[in-house]
Amino acid sequence: MKEYGFGVDVGGTTIKIGFFGTDGKLLDRWEVPTNREQNGANILPDIAKAIDNKLAQEGISRGQVQGIGIGVPGPVTGDGTVHGCVNLGWGIVNVQKQLGDLTGLPVKAGNDANVAALGEMWQGGAKGSRDVIMVTLGTGVGGGIISDGKVVTGHGGAGGEIGHITVRNDETEACNCGRYGCLEQYTSATGIVRLAKRKLAKSSEPTGLRAFSELTAKDIFDEAKKGDEVAAGLVDELGGILGAALSNMACVVNPEVIVIGGGVSAAGTILIEAIQKHFIENAFHACRGTRFALARLGNDAGMYGCMQMVMEL
C-alpha cells in the first residue's frame, strides 16, 4: 500500500476533492467549480490539474500515490464507464480511462450514492459493518447497497437506485424519472412537502404549517417536534412509506445496518424512529433486528467512499 490517495466527489455545482493518507486520515479537502460548458468536456481535465497542483504543492511523486477514486452522479459500469450524467452534460464517458490518462495514476469510478455508502461503511455511521443499505434523503432519494463489503452495482450500474422503487400505484403526478409513484415522490425533501400541501388542501385541521408561505421539510419536522399533530402525522406517513420499502429490501439483502443520510436526516431521532417503527411492523422476522443509524460524514461521505475504493486498487 502506498502512502496517499485522492477521493473526488463530482457534483453538478462543485467538485469536492479529498487528499488522504492510506491510513484513512483526511489530510486536506478543497473544492473546484464544476464546469459544465461544452457538455462537461473540461471536468476531468480540471480534476487532473487540481491533483497535479496538489502533488507539486506537497512535493509528492506519483509513485507515492495509491490512486484516485471518483464518484459521479450517474450509473457506472464495472469498467468505469458512465452511461449518461445529465447534471454534468455527459453522454457515455469512460471516466477511469480518461482520468487515468490525464493523471498517470490508477483510477476507480463509482456512482456518487454508492461511494457515499462506502464512506459511511468505512468511517461513518456503519463503521464496522459489511452489509449496509444507505439511503440519502435530499432533493431526491438516492441509495447504495453494500453486501459483504462490496457495492452492488448491477449489470448496468443502476443497482441501489432505491428512490425509484414503486410504492404507490394511484399516483397521478410524474416523478422526475418519468414514472409514477416512486419512493422519491414521498420521502425526499420535496416529497414530504408535496404530501403536506395535499393534506392541507383537503383538511381544515388546525396546524402551524399553514403559517409558512414557503413550506420546507425542515418546517414540517420542527413543527412535529413541537407537538403539531398534522406535522407529526406527515412524519409518520413518510416513515410508513420508507419503512415498508426498506423492509422489502431487507428481505433481499439482509443488511446489518441501514444508514439514513442527506439533508432530511438533519431532523435526527424523530426521523429514525418513524422509519424504524414501520420497518419493524413490516419486516420479515429474521430482518427485524436491523440497526438504524444516522450518517456521520455529511457532505464528505462521497470523498471518503472514493478513498475507500482506492484502498481496494
Side-chain angles (χ1 to χ4, degrees), residues 248-305:
N248 290 331
M249 291 184 64
C251 285
V252 180
V253 297
N254 189 21
E256 179 181 356
V257 57
I258 296 175
V259 179
I260 308 297
V264 175
S265 70
T269 304
I270 188 174
L271 172 64
I272 293 291
E273 289 179 348
I275 298 168
Q276 190 168 24
K277 167 190 167 186
H278 291 283
F279 175 89
I280 292 170
E281 289 173 352
N282 289 279
F284 176 57
H285 66 85
C287 300
R288 287 179 194 150
T290 301
R291 181 167 61 87
F292 280 75
L294 289 167
R296 293 181 187 169
L297 299 177
N299 290 332
D300 289 347
M303 293 190 311
Y304 275 91

Side-chain angles (χ1 to χ4, degrees), residues 82-274:
V82 177
H83 290 269
C85 284
V86 176
N87 291 342
L88 304 182
W90 287 352
I92 298 175
V93 179
N94 189 317
V95 177
Q96 282 180 195
K97 183 177 188 308
Q98 289 192 24
L99 188 58
D101 289 345
L102 288 165
T103 60
L105 291 167
V107 176
K108 180 67 176 176
N111 168 265
D112 56 355
N114 287 339
V115 298
L118 278 175
E120 289 292 339
M121 178 194 74
W122 185 38
Q123 298 290 347
K127 188 172 183 178
S129 300
R130 293 179 59 81
D131 293 279
V132 180
I133 295 175
M134 182 172 177
V135 185
T136 53
L137 306 176
T139 305
V141 173
I145 301 169
I146 301 173
S147 180
D148 194 24
K150 305 293 183 185
V151 171
V152 176
T153 56
H155 173 68
E161 290 287 352
I162 68 174
H164 300 289
I165 294 172
T166 301
V167 294
R168 286 191 177 175
N169 295 315
D170 59 350
E171 182 57 60
T172 57
E173 291 183 37
C175 177
N176 289 332
C177 75
R179 297 167 62 246
Y180 295 82
C182 292
L183 182 68
E184 181 172 296
Q185 291 185 272
Y186 313 103
T187 62
S188 63
T190 50
I192 190 172
V193 171
R194 179 186 289 111
L195 290 176
K197 289 180 176 178
R198 287 179 175 179
K199 187 172 186 66
L200 294 176
K202 293 178 180 179
S203 169
S204 60
E205 291 180 70
T207 172
L209 297 179
R210 300 185 194 278
F212 296 94
S213 57
E214 292 293 333
L215 188 63
T216 68
K218 182 179 184 301
D219 297 329
I220 295 167
F221 282 101
D222 286 348
E223 291 300 305
K225 290 173 184 177
K226 294 176 185 177
D228 186 292
E229 292 186 6
V230 172
L234 288 163
V235 172
D236 188 66
E237 185 174 358
L238 179 153
I241 296 168
L242 187 53
L246 289 171
S247 73
N248 290 331
M249 291 184 64
C251 285
V252 180
V253 297
N254 189 21
E256 179 181 356
V257 57
I258 296 175
V259 179
I260 308 297
V264 175
S265 70
T269 304
I270 188 174
L271 172 64
I272 293 291
E273 289 179 348

